[in-house]
mmCIF file of all heavy atoms in Angstrom:
data_model
loop_
_atom_site.group_PDB
_atom_site.id
_atom_site.type_symbol
_atom_site.label_atom_id
_atom_site.label_comp_id
_atom_site.label_asym_id
_atom_site.label_seq_id
_atom_site.Cartn_x
_atom_site.Cartn_y
_atom_site.Cartn_z
ATOM 1 N N LYS X 68 -12.150 23.696 -8.385
ATOM 2 C CA LYS X 68 -12.652 23.760 -9.754
ATOM 3 C C LYS X 68 -14.107 23.299 -9.768
ATOM 4 O O LYS X 68 -14.534 22.523 -8.933
ATOM 5 C CB LYS X 68 -11.833 22.837 -10.648
ATOM 6 C CG LYS X 68 -10.328 22.994 -10.475
ATOM 7 C CD LYS X 68 -9.678 23.477 -11.697
ATOM 8 C CE LYS X 68 -8.185 23.607 -11.597
ATOM 9 N NZ LYS X 68 -7.679 24.573 -10.683
ATOM 10 N N ILE X 69 -14.869 23.766 -10.718
ATOM 11 C CA ILE X 69 -16.266 23.362 -10.885
ATOM 12 C C ILE X 69 -16.367 22.650 -12.231
ATOM 13 O O ILE X 69 -16.024 23.221 -13.272
ATOM 14 C CB ILE X 69 -17.219 24.587 -10.850
ATOM 15 C CG1 ILE X 69 -16.980 25.437 -9.600
ATOM 16 C CG2 ILE X 69 -18.667 24.137 -10.972
ATOM 17 C CD1 ILE X 69 -17.227 24.743 -8.283
ATOM 18 N N GLU X 70 -16.798 21.398 -12.220
ATOM 19 C CA GLU X 70 -16.898 20.609 -13.440
ATOM 20 C C GLU X 70 -18.228 19.883 -13.478
ATOM 21 O O GLU X 70 -18.787 19.548 -12.433
ATOM 22 C CB GLU X 70 -15.768 19.578 -13.508
ATOM 23 C CG GLU X 70 -14.390 20.201 -13.555
ATOM 24 C CD GLU X 70 -13.278 19.152 -13.530
ATOM 25 O OE1 GLU X 70 -13.584 17.948 -13.455
ATOM 26 O OE2 GLU X 70 -12.111 19.555 -13.570
ATOM 27 N N HIS X 71 -18.694 19.584 -14.674
ATOM 28 C CA HIS X 71 -19.921 18.800 -14.852
ATOM 29 C C HIS X 71 -19.541 17.348 -15.084
ATOM 30 O O HIS X 71 -18.632 17.051 -15.873
ATOM 31 C CB HIS X 71 -20.722 19.324 -16.048
ATOM 32 C CG HIS X 71 -21.916 18.482 -16.350
ATOM 33 N ND1 HIS X 71 -23.048 18.505 -15.569
ATOM 34 C CD2 HIS X 71 -22.131 17.563 -17.319
ATOM 35 C CE1 HIS X 71 -23.927 17.646 -16.051
ATOM 36 N NE2 HIS X 71 -23.395 17.067 -17.115
ATOM 37 N N GLU X 72 -20.224 16.442 -14.409
ATOM 38 C CA GLU X 72 -20.007 15.016 -14.626
ATOM 39 C C GLU X 72 -21.259 14.439 -15.271
ATOM 40 O O GLU X 72 -22.348 14.499 -14.697
ATOM 41 C CB GLU X 72 -19.719 14.307 -13.306
ATOM 42 C CG GLU X 72 -19.488 12.827 -13.482
ATOM 43 C CD GLU X 72 -19.190 12.120 -12.180
ATOM 44 O OE1 GLU X 72 -19.958 12.255 -11.218
ATOM 45 O OE2 GLU X 72 -18.172 11.411 -12.141
ATOM 46 N N ALA X 73 -21.092 13.885 -16.460
ATOM 47 C CA ALA X 73 -22.225 13.292 -17.160
ATOM 48 C C ALA X 73 -22.662 11.996 -16.478
ATOM 49 O O ALA X 73 -21.849 11.313 -15.856
ATOM 50 C CB ALA X 73 -21.840 13.001 -18.609
ATOM 51 N N ALA X 74 -23.934 11.687 -16.596
ATOM 52 C CA ALA X 74 -24.441 10.426 -16.058
ATOM 53 C C ALA X 74 -23.757 9.272 -16.779
ATOM 54 O O ALA X 74 -23.416 9.366 -17.956
ATOM 55 C CB ALA X 74 -25.953 10.355 -16.262
ATOM 56 N N HIS X 75 -23.519 8.195 -16.050
ATOM 57 C CA HIS X 75 -22.852 7.045 -16.648
ATOM 58 C C HIS X 75 -23.217 5.768 -15.904
ATOM 59 O O HIS X 75 -23.666 5.800 -14.762
ATOM 60 C CB HIS X 75 -21.332 7.250 -16.635
ATOM 61 C CG HIS X 75 -20.780 7.465 -15.253
ATOM 62 N ND1 HIS X 75 -20.737 8.696 -14.681
ATOM 63 C CD2 HIS X 75 -20.304 6.604 -14.329
ATOM 64 C CE1 HIS X 75 -20.227 8.597 -13.467
ATOM 65 N NE2 HIS X 75 -19.967 7.334 -13.224
ATOM 66 N N LEU X 76 -22.992 4.656 -16.549
ATOM 67 C CA LEU X 76 -23.193 3.338 -15.964
ATOM 68 C C LEU X 76 -21.978 3.019 -15.107
ATOM 69 O O LEU X 76 -20.844 3.355 -15.467
ATOM 70 C CB LEU X 76 -23.326 2.307 -17.092
ATOM 71 C CG LEU X 76 -23.593 0.862 -16.707
ATOM 72 C CD1 LEU X 76 -24.964 0.749 -16.027
ATOM 73 C CD2 LEU X 76 -23.556 -0.011 -17.954
ATOM 74 N N ALA X 77 -22.193 2.357 -13.955
ATOM 75 C CA ALA X 77 -21.073 2.000 -13.091
ATOM 76 C C ALA X 77 -21.341 0.690 -12.373
ATOM 77 O O ALA X 77 -22.474 0.375 -12.023
ATOM 78 C CB ALA X 77 -20.824 3.106 -12.064
ATOM 79 N N ALA X 78 -20.271 -0.073 -12.161
ATOM 80 C CA ALA X 78 -20.325 -1.239 -11.280
ATOM 81 C C ALA X 78 -19.978 -0.717 -9.894
ATOM 82 O O ALA X 78 -19.073 0.111 -9.744
ATOM 83 C CB ALA X 78 -19.310 -2.281 -11.725
ATOM 84 N N THR X 79 -20.709 -1.162 -8.874
ATOM 85 C CA THR X 79 -20.477 -0.633 -7.531
ATOM 86 C C THR X 79 -20.301 -1.756 -6.520
ATOM 87 O O THR X 79 -20.775 -2.878 -6.714
ATOM 88 C CB THR X 79 -21.648 0.257 -7.063
ATOM 89 O OG1 THR X 79 -22.818 -0.547 -6.915
ATOM 90 C CG2 THR X 79 -21.905 1.389 -8.031
ATOM 91 N N VAL X 80 -19.616 -1.426 -5.450
ATOM 92 C CA VAL X 80 -19.486 -2.332 -4.309
ATOM 93 C C VAL X 80 -19.526 -1.471 -3.042
ATOM 94 O O VAL X 80 -18.959 -0.380 -3.004
ATOM 95 C CB VAL X 80 -18.198 -3.189 -4.387
ATOM 96 C CG1 VAL X 80 -16.939 -2.345 -4.313
ATOM 97 C CG2 VAL X 80 -18.188 -4.258 -3.325
ATOM 98 N N LEU X 81 -20.243 -1.941 -2.033
ATOM 99 C CA LEU X 81 -20.361 -1.243 -0.755
ATOM 100 C C LEU X 81 -19.383 -1.871 0.229
ATOM 101 O O LEU X 81 -19.369 -3.094 0.406
ATOM 102 C CB LEU X 81 -21.787 -1.340 -0.218
ATOM 103 C CG LEU X 81 -22.056 -0.619 1.100
ATOM 104 C CD1 LEU X 81 -21.880 0.884 0.944
ATOM 105 C CD2 LEU X 81 -23.459 -0.941 1.595
ATOM 106 N N VAL X 82 -18.575 -1.024 0.860
ATOM 107 C CA VAL X 82 -17.607 -1.490 1.852
ATOM 108 C C VAL X 82 -18.034 -0.949 3.207
ATOM 109 O O VAL X 82 -18.226 0.262 3.359
ATOM 110 C CB VAL X 82 -16.178 -0.989 1.514
ATOM 111 C CG1 VAL X 82 -15.190 -1.395 2.584
ATOM 112 C CG2 VAL X 82 -15.752 -1.487 0.142
ATOM 113 N N GLN X 83 -18.190 -1.835 4.177
ATOM 114 C CA GLN X 83 -18.510 -1.398 5.530
ATOM 115 C C GLN X 83 -17.290 -1.656 6.394
ATOM 116 O O GLN X 83 -16.741 -2.749 6.405
ATOM 117 C CB GLN X 83 -19.721 -2.135 6.096
ATOM 118 C CG GLN X 83 -20.055 -1.621 7.487
ATOM 119 C CD GLN X 83 -21.494 -1.844 7.858
ATOM 120 O OE1 GLN X 83 -22.322 -2.202 7.044
ATOM 121 N NE2 GLN X 83 -21.791 -1.597 9.110
ATOM 122 N N GLY X 84 -16.861 -0.618 7.119
ATOM 123 C CA GLY X 84 -15.709 -0.749 7.995
ATOM 124 C C GLY X 84 -14.556 0.132 7.545
ATOM 125 O O GLY X 84 -14.733 1.136 6.859
ATOM 126 N N SER X 85 -13.378 -0.277 7.925
ATOM 127 C CA SER X 85 -12.151 0.489 7.715
ATOM 128 C C SER X 85 -11.836 0.732 6.241
ATOM 129 O O SER X 85 -12.141 -0.103 5.378
ATOM 130 C CB SER X 85 -10.990 -0.269 8.359
ATOM 131 O OG SER X 85 -9.754 0.263 7.970
ATOM 132 N N TYR X 86 -11.188 1.862 5.979
ATOM 133 C CA TYR X 86 -10.729 2.170 4.624
ATOM 134 C C TYR X 86 -9.646 1.187 4.170
ATOM 135 O O TYR X 86 -9.319 1.127 2.986
ATOM 136 C CB TYR X 86 -10.196 3.595 4.544
ATOM 137 C CG TYR X 86 -11.247 4.677 4.736
ATOM 138 C CD1 TYR X 86 -10.900 5.919 5.230
ATOM 139 C CD2 TYR X 86 -12.581 4.459 4.411
ATOM 140 C CE1 TYR X 86 -11.856 6.917 5.399
ATOM 141 C CE2 TYR X 86 -13.539 5.442 4.585
ATOM 142 C CZ TYR X 86 -13.168 6.673 5.076
ATOM 143 O OH TYR X 86 -14.114 7.653 5.233
ATOM 144 N N ASN X 87 -9.076 0.415 5.089
ATOM 145 C CA ASN X 87 -8.054 -0.564 4.727
ATOM 146 C C ASN X 87 -8.589 -1.613 3.753
ATOM 147 O O ASN X 87 -7.821 -2.307 3.110
ATOM 148 C CB ASN X 87 -7.509 -1.269 5.976
ATOM 149 C CG ASN X 87 -6.737 -0.332 6.871
ATOM 150 O OD1 ASN X 87 -6.262 0.711 6.436
ATOM 151 N ND2 ASN X 87 -6.617 -0.684 8.131
ATOM 152 N N GLN X 88 -9.894 -1.755 3.658
ATOM 153 C CA GLN X 88 -10.512 -2.741 2.773
ATOM 154 C C GLN X 88 -10.694 -2.234 1.342
ATOM 155 O O GLN X 88 -11.090 -2.992 0.456
ATOM 156 C CB GLN X 88 -11.891 -3.120 3.316
ATOM 157 C CG GLN X 88 -11.875 -3.672 4.724
ATOM 158 C CD GLN X 88 -13.293 -3.870 5.205
ATOM 159 O OE1 GLN X 88 -13.967 -4.801 4.767
ATOM 160 N NE2 GLN X 88 -13.766 -2.983 6.068
ATOM 161 N N LEU X 89 -10.415 -0.954 1.104
ATOM 162 C CA LEU X 89 -10.719 -0.364 -0.197
ATOM 163 C C LEU X 89 -9.865 -0.924 -1.329
ATOM 164 O O LEU X 89 -10.344 -1.079 -2.446
ATOM 165 C CB LEU X 89 -10.620 1.159 -0.141
ATOM 166 C CG LEU X 89 -11.616 1.845 0.806
ATOM 167 C CD1 LEU X 89 -11.454 3.356 0.748
ATOM 168 C CD2 LEU X 89 -13.048 1.434 0.498
ATOM 169 N N ASP X 90 -8.594 -1.247 -1.046
ATOM 170 C CA ASP X 90 -7.736 -1.826 -2.094
ATOM 171 C C ASP X 90 -8.323 -3.145 -2.587
ATOM 172 O O ASP X 90 -8.408 -3.395 -3.786
ATOM 173 C CB ASP X 90 -6.315 -2.062 -1.576
ATOM 174 C CG ASP X 90 -5.474 -0.804 -1.546
ATOM 175 O OD1 ASP X 90 -5.879 0.207 -2.148
ATOM 176 O OD2 ASP X 90 -4.409 -0.838 -0.917
ATOM 177 N N GLU X 91 -8.733 -3.994 -1.652
ATOM 178 C CA GLU X 91 -9.309 -5.295 -2.007
ATOM 179 C C GLU X 91 -10.618 -5.123 -2.784
ATOM 180 O O GLU X 91 -10.867 -5.818 -3.768
ATOM 181 C CB GLU X 91 -9.554 -6.109 -0.737
ATOM 182 C CG GLU X 91 -10.059 -7.508 -0.988
ATOM 183 C CD GLU X 91 -10.277 -8.288 0.297
ATOM 184 O OE1 GLU X 91 -9.695 -7.938 1.336
ATOM 185 O OE2 GLU X 91 -11.055 -9.253 0.237
ATOM 186 N N ALA X 92 -11.443 -4.176 -2.350
ATOM 187 C CA ALA X 92 -12.717 -3.939 -3.037
ATOM 188 C C ALA X 92 -12.486 -3.381 -4.444
ATOM 189 O O ALA X 92 -13.203 -3.747 -5.383
ATOM 190 C CB ALA X 92 -13.577 -2.979 -2.208
ATOM 191 N N THR X 93 -11.493 -2.522 -4.602
ATOM 192 C CA THR X 93 -11.158 -1.981 -5.921
ATOM 193 C C THR X 93 -10.687 -3.107 -6.843
ATOM 194 O O THR X 93 -11.086 -3.172 -8.012
ATOM 195 C CB THR X 93 -10.083 -0.880 -5.797
ATOM 196 O OG1 THR X 93 -10.579 0.158 -4.957
ATOM 197 C CG2 THR X 93 -9.710 -0.308 -7.156
ATOM 198 N N ALA X 94 -9.849 -3.995 -6.318
ATOM 199 C CA ALA X 94 -9.377 -5.146 -7.110
ATOM 200 C C ALA X 94 -10.562 -6.025 -7.518
ATOM 201 O O ALA X 94 -10.624 -6.510 -8.656
ATOM 202 C CB ALA X 94 -8.359 -5.952 -6.313
ATOM 203 N N TYR X 95 -11.510 -6.195 -6.601
ATOM 204 C CA TYR X 95 -12.703 -6.992 -6.911
ATOM 205 C C TYR X 95 -13.476 -6.372 -8.080
ATOM 206 O O TYR X 95 -13.914 -7.080 -8.985
ATOM 207 C CB TYR X 95 -13.602 -7.112 -5.679
ATOM 208 C CG TYR X 95 -14.927 -7.762 -5.990
ATOM 209 C CD1 TYR X 95 -15.027 -9.142 -6.124
ATOM 210 C CD2 TYR X 95 -16.066 -6.994 -6.202
ATOM 211 C CE1 TYR X 95 -16.240 -9.744 -6.445
ATOM 212 C CE2 TYR X 95 -17.282 -7.588 -6.524
ATOM 213 C CZ TYR X 95 -17.361 -8.957 -6.645
ATOM 214 O OH TYR X 95 -18.548 -9.543 -6.981
ATOM 215 N N LEU X 96 -13.645 -5.055 -8.082
ATOM 216 C CA LEU X 96 -14.349 -4.395 -9.185
ATOM 217 C C LEU X 96 -13.623 -4.638 -10.511
ATOM 218 O O LEU X 96 -14.263 -4.874 -11.541
ATOM 219 C CB LEU X 96 -14.478 -2.892 -8.928
ATOM 220 C CG LEU X 96 -15.574 -2.450 -7.977
ATOM 221 C CD1 LEU X 96 -15.473 -0.947 -7.722
ATOM 222 C CD2 LEU X 96 -16.947 -2.804 -8.521
ATOM 223 N N GLY X 97 -12.301 -4.560 -10.482
ATOM 224 C CA GLY X 97 -11.523 -4.824 -11.699
ATOM 225 C C GLY X 97 -11.702 -6.250 -12.181
ATOM 226 O O GLY X 97 -11.883 -6.489 -13.383
ATOM 227 N N GLN X 98 -11.685 -7.208 -11.252
ATOM 228 C CA GLN X 98 -11.889 -8.612 -11.622
ATOM 229 C C GLN X 98 -13.300 -8.827 -12.164
ATOM 230 O O GLN X 98 -13.489 -9.532 -13.152
ATOM 231 C CB GLN X 98 -11.651 -9.511 -10.408
ATOM 232 C CG GLN X 98 -10.213 -9.542 -9.963
ATOM 233 C CD GLN X 98 -10.051 -10.160 -8.581
ATOM 234 O OE1 GLN X 98 -11.017 -10.475 -7.896
ATOM 235 N NE2 GLN X 98 -8.803 -10.317 -8.163
ATOM 236 N N TRP X 99 -14.283 -8.206 -11.508
ATOM 237 C CA TRP X 99 -15.666 -8.352 -11.953
ATOM 238 C C TRP X 99 -15.831 -7.820 -13.371
ATOM 239 O O TRP X 99 -16.458 -8.465 -14.217
ATOM 240 C CB TRP X 99 -16.612 -7.608 -11.009
ATOM 241 C CG TRP X 99 -18.044 -7.747 -11.418
ATOM 242 C CD1 TRP X 99 -18.932 -8.701 -11.011
ATOM 243 C CD2 TRP X 99 -18.755 -6.907 -12.345
ATOM 244 N NE1 TRP X 99 -20.140 -8.522 -11.635
ATOM 245 C CE2 TRP X 99 -20.062 -7.423 -12.465
ATOM 246 C CE3 TRP X 99 -18.420 -5.784 -13.091
ATOM 247 C CZ2 TRP X 99 -21.030 -6.855 -13.282
ATOM 248 C CZ3 TRP X 99 -19.373 -5.229 -13.922
ATOM 249 C CH2 TRP X 99 -20.666 -5.744 -14.013
ATOM 250 N N SER X 100 -15.271 -6.641 -13.637
ATOM 251 C CA SER X 100 -15.432 -6.051 -14.970
ATOM 252 C C SER X 100 -14.756 -6.911 -16.033
ATOM 253 O O SER X 100 -15.292 -7.073 -17.134
ATOM 254 C CB SER X 100 -14.924 -4.607 -15.011
ATOM 255 O OG SER X 100 -13.532 -4.558 -14.803
ATOM 256 N N ALA X 101 -13.612 -7.502 -15.715
ATOM 257 C CA ALA X 101 -12.927 -8.377 -16.677
ATOM 258 C C ALA X 101 -13.736 -9.651 -16.923
ATOM 259 O O ALA X 101 -13.914 -10.070 -18.067
ATOM 260 C CB ALA X 101 -11.536 -8.723 -16.163
ATOM 261 N N THR X 102 -14.249 -10.241 -15.854
ATOM 262 C CA THR X 102 -15.043 -11.468 -15.965
ATOM 263 C C THR X 102 -16.299 -11.253 -16.803
ATOM 264 O O THR X 102 -16.721 -12.132 -17.552
ATOM 265 C CB THR X 102 -15.446 -11.981 -14.561
ATOM 266 O OG1 THR X 102 -14.255 -12.246 -13.830
ATOM 267 C CG2 THR X 102 -16.295 -13.224 -14.629
ATOM 268 N N HIS X 103 -16.892 -10.054 -16.691
ATOM 269 C CA HIS X 103 -18.138 -9.753 -17.398
ATOM 270 C C HIS X 103 -17.929 -8.944 -18.681
ATOM 271 O O HIS X 103 -18.872 -8.396 -19.238
ATOM 272 C CB HIS X 103 -19.105 -9.029 -16.450
ATOM 273 C CG HIS X 103 -19.576 -9.914 -15.346
ATOM 274 N ND1 HIS X 103 -18.873 -10.063 -14.162
ATOM 275 C CD2 HIS X 103 -20.650 -10.724 -15.254
ATOM 276 C CE1 HIS X 103 -19.515 -10.916 -13.388
ATOM 277 N NE2 HIS X 103 -20.588 -11.339 -14.024
ATOM 278 N N ASN X 104 -16.666 -8.897 -19.144
ATOM 279 C CA ASN X 104 -16.314 -8.204 -20.392
ATOM 280 C C ASN X 104 -16.807 -6.761 -20.424
ATOM 281 O O ASN X 104 -17.322 -6.285 -21.435
ATOM 282 C CB ASN X 104 -16.833 -8.974 -21.608
ATOM 283 C CG ASN X 104 -16.184 -10.326 -21.733
ATOM 284 O OD1 ASN X 104 -14.973 -10.448 -21.560
ATOM 285 N ND2 ASN X 104 -16.971 -11.347 -21.997
ATOM 286 N N LYS X 105 -16.660 -6.063 -19.318
ATOM 287 C CA LYS X 105 -17.041 -4.648 -19.223
ATOM 288 C C LYS X 105 -15.770 -3.804 -19.255
ATOM 289 O O LYS X 105 -14.810 -4.084 -18.539
ATOM 290 C CB LYS X 105 -17.813 -4.363 -17.933
ATOM 291 C CG LYS X 105 -19.067 -5.198 -17.764
ATOM 292 C CD LYS X 105 -20.142 -4.776 -18.730
ATOM 293 C CE LYS X 105 -21.415 -5.557 -18.496
ATOM 294 N NZ LYS X 105 -22.444 -5.233 -19.452
ATOM 295 N N GLN X 106 -15.771 -2.753 -20.060
ATOM 296 C CA GLN X 106 -14.617 -1.854 -20.142
ATOM 297 C C GLN X 106 -14.799 -0.693 -19.190
ATOM 298 O O GLN X 106 -15.872 -0.072 -19.149
ATOM 299 C CB GLN X 106 -14.453 -1.319 -21.560
ATOM 300 C CG GLN X 106 -13.971 -2.340 -22.543
ATOM 301 C CD GLN X 106 -13.704 -1.690 -23.884
ATOM 302 O OE1 GLN X 106 -14.513 -0.909 -24.386
ATOM 303 N NE2 GLN X 106 -12.564 -1.999 -24.466
ATOM 304 N N ARG X 107 -13.739 -0.385 -18.476
ATOM 305 C CA ARG X 107 -13.812 0.768 -17.579
ATOM 306 C C ARG X 107 -13.749 2.048 -18.388
ATOM 307 O O ARG X 107 -13.124 2.107 -19.439
ATOM 308 C CB ARG X 107 -12.740 0.692 -16.496
ATOM 309 C CG ARG X 107 -11.330 0.857 -16.946
ATOM 310 C CD ARG X 107 -10.291 0.641 -15.858
ATOM 311 N NE ARG X 107 -10.464 1.564 -14.761
ATOM 312 C CZ ARG X 107 -10.031 1.348 -13.532
ATOM 313 N NH1 ARG X 107 -9.395 0.242 -13.235
ATOM 314 N NH2 ARG X 107 -10.208 2.237 -12.602
ATOM 315 N N ALA X 108 -14.431 3.082 -17.861
ATOM 316 C CA ALA X 108 -14.518 4.367 -18.564
ATOM 317 C C ALA X 108 -13.907 5.497 -17.736
ATOM 318 O O ALA X 108 -14.240 6.643 -17.932
ATOM 319 C CB ALA X 108 -15.977 4.672 -18.887
ATOM 320 N N GLY X 109 -13.042 5.157 -16.806
ATOM 321 C CA GLY X 109 -12.425 6.188 -15.976
ATOM 322 C C GLY X 109 -11.961 5.623 -14.649
ATOM 323 O O GLY X 109 -11.969 4.411 -14.434
ATOM 324 N N SER X 110 -11.567 6.522 -13.774
ATOM 325 C CA SER X 110 -11.051 6.148 -12.452
ATOM 326 C C SER X 110 -12.187 5.755 -11.519
ATOM 327 O O SER X 110 -13.302 6.263 -11.622
ATOM 328 C CB SER X 110 -10.284 7.324 -11.839
ATOM 329 O OG SER X 110 -9.219 7.701 -12.672
#
Side-chain angles (χ1 to χ4, degrees):
K68 312 244 182 295
I69 307 298
E70 298 176 359
H71 175 74
E72 180 179 53
H75 58 274
L76 182 65
T79 66
V80 64
L81 182 64
V82 176
Q83 182 156 349
S85 168
Y86 293 153
N87 293 339
Q88 302 174 74
L89 297 182
D90 281 347
E91 184 179 339
T93 301
Y95 172 79
L96 281 174
Q98 292 166 354
W99 181 91
S100 66
T102 300
H103 293 87
N104 296 317
K105 303 289 183 183
Q106 288 186 314
R107 69 186 300 157
S110 301

